[in-house]
Amino acid sequence: MAGLFITFEGIDGSGKSTQMRMLASALRLRGLEVVATREPGGTPFGKRLRAAILDLHEQVDPLAELLLFAADRAQHVRTLLRPAIDSNHIVLSDRYADATRAYQGAGRGFSKELIAEVIELATAGLKPDLTLIFDLSVAECVARARRRMHDGHKGDRLDSEDAAFHTRVRNAYLEIARQEPDRVRIIDASGSIDETHTRTMDVVMRFIKSRES
Ligand code: ADP
Ligand code: TYD
């Protein structure tokens, strides 16, 4: 099978990282070659950028933030994503360009035109074949993220934005799904981890089969 590029999106705490891990294991059990990665921080250089961008104690100018996510993505596309897709792997990424549309576009307020230009520059046109948006109310995401912090997760600079910011981000994701129904699927993330996994498998296996036929 030719390479496939699937991205996982949603507001912080929606459960997308949990679901990506479970999907990666399930696909590997079926004998498929999977590369699991993330943004920011999918490459060695990107890990250093991630630490800087998300540092809770850092004051980051919004334009610097936008360009740093783009720099992380440029490195990711050129050194990891493109080569892995070209060698026919199934590449799963925990966030990609839609996160910039939602967080820096709707969240921070940069224009759609500027966001589109920066994304085009960083990705050189690489688009996901399939994007899964894990959708959950902001209140439930905050509750999950809080429980996760009790388990030792530190949280980051964007997690600490207010509910209005995360509501704008969620609405932007839903708008992207409405505009690109062929690429983007919304997955109801309000159920248990296993229920959401079943929904995710259903969408992904159907997509893979449609690609094979
Ligand atoms: P994200 O990557 O979207 O920020 P995570 O996958 O890290 O989210 O999940 C956030 C927290 O919520 C974690 O502590 C995780 O164990 C928990 N969680 C994930 N999915 C569910 C679910 N369906 N129901 C309840 N808690 C969940
Ligand atoms: P992530 O590792 O997915 O954090 P979490 O597990 O808490 O959801 O993403 C880190 C943060 O970076 C998240 O708050 C969203 C933000 N982000 C952007 O603002 N723009 C981007 O382009 C990307 C890739 C991430």
Side-chain angles (χ1 to χ4, degrees):
M1 195 178 77
L4 259 191
F5 181 29
I6 305 179
T7 59
F8 288 64
E9 300 280 1
I11 54 178
D12 302 287
S14 58
K16 66 188 162 36
S17 311
T18 305
Q19 293 303 324
M20 197 181 100
R21 272 196 301 278
M22 292 173 82
L23 180 73
S25 305
L27 295 179
R28 286 184 182 123
L29 278 175
R30 284 170 162 73
L32 296 165
E33 297 224 54
V34 175
V35 171
T37 183
R38 72 166 170 182
E39 287 192 1
T43 62
F45 178 55
K47 284 193 178 67
R48 295 170 63 185
L49 290 176
R50 179 183 174 95
I53 307 169
L54 300 182
D55 188 337
L56 268 171
H57 307 292
E58 205 64 73
Q59 300 284 321
V60 183
D61 175 83
L63 180 61
E65 178 184 279
L66 170 67
L67 296 175
L68 284 167
F69 281 117
D72 171 75
R73 184 162 304 130
Q75 181 81 359
H76 197 206
V77 167
R78 285 160 183 78
T79 67
L80 192 149
L81 295 174
R82 240 321 154 208
I85 298 164
D86 289 347
S87 28
N88 298 336
H89 289 84
I90 297 184
V91 180
L92 308 181
S93 185
D94 188 344
R95 298 194 185 282
Y96 185 62
D98 294 314
T100 298
R101 296 187 177 100
Y103 282 80
Q104 280 64 52
R108 299 283 187 233
F110 284 107
S111 74
K112 286 204 165 107
E113 293 71 29
L114 178 67
I115 294 283
E117 266 179 55
V118 170
I119 289 174
E120 182 58 33
L121 186 64
T123 63
L126 177 66
K127 292 205 176 73
D129 297 295
L130 176 66
T131 294
L132 307 175
I133 293 179
F134 291 85
D135 185 51
L136 189 60
S137 73
V138 171
E140 186 52 36
C141 285
V142 169
R144 283 186 190 176
R146 234 177 243 146
R147 285 199 290 275
R148 178 172 61 173
M149 279 198 213
H150 283 297
D151 299 337
H153 183 275
K154 280 209 302 278
D156 62 49
R157 207 167 46 75
L158 284 108
D159 286 336
S160 58
E161 289 293 335
D162 62 14
F165 178 92
H166 286 110
T167 301
R168 290 200 296 282
V169 172
R170 181 187 184 199
N171 289 338
Y173 275 132
L174 297 175
E175 175 68 24
I176 291 169
R178 273 193 293 274
Q179 282 173 353
E180 293 186 69
D182 290 342
R183 171 176 71 88
V184 183
R185 307 287 150 77
I186 294 173
I187 298 203
D188 174 356
S190 63
S192 70
I193 290 179
D194 285 342
E195 280 164 356
T196 311
H197 176 60
T198 304
R199 290 196 178 112
T200 306
M201 278 301 280
D202 187 47
V203 169
V204 172
M205 291 317 292
R206 251 195 258 188
F207 186 80
I208 290 178
K209 285 197 185 109
S210 75
R211 278 303 205 79
E212 282 170 343
S213 56

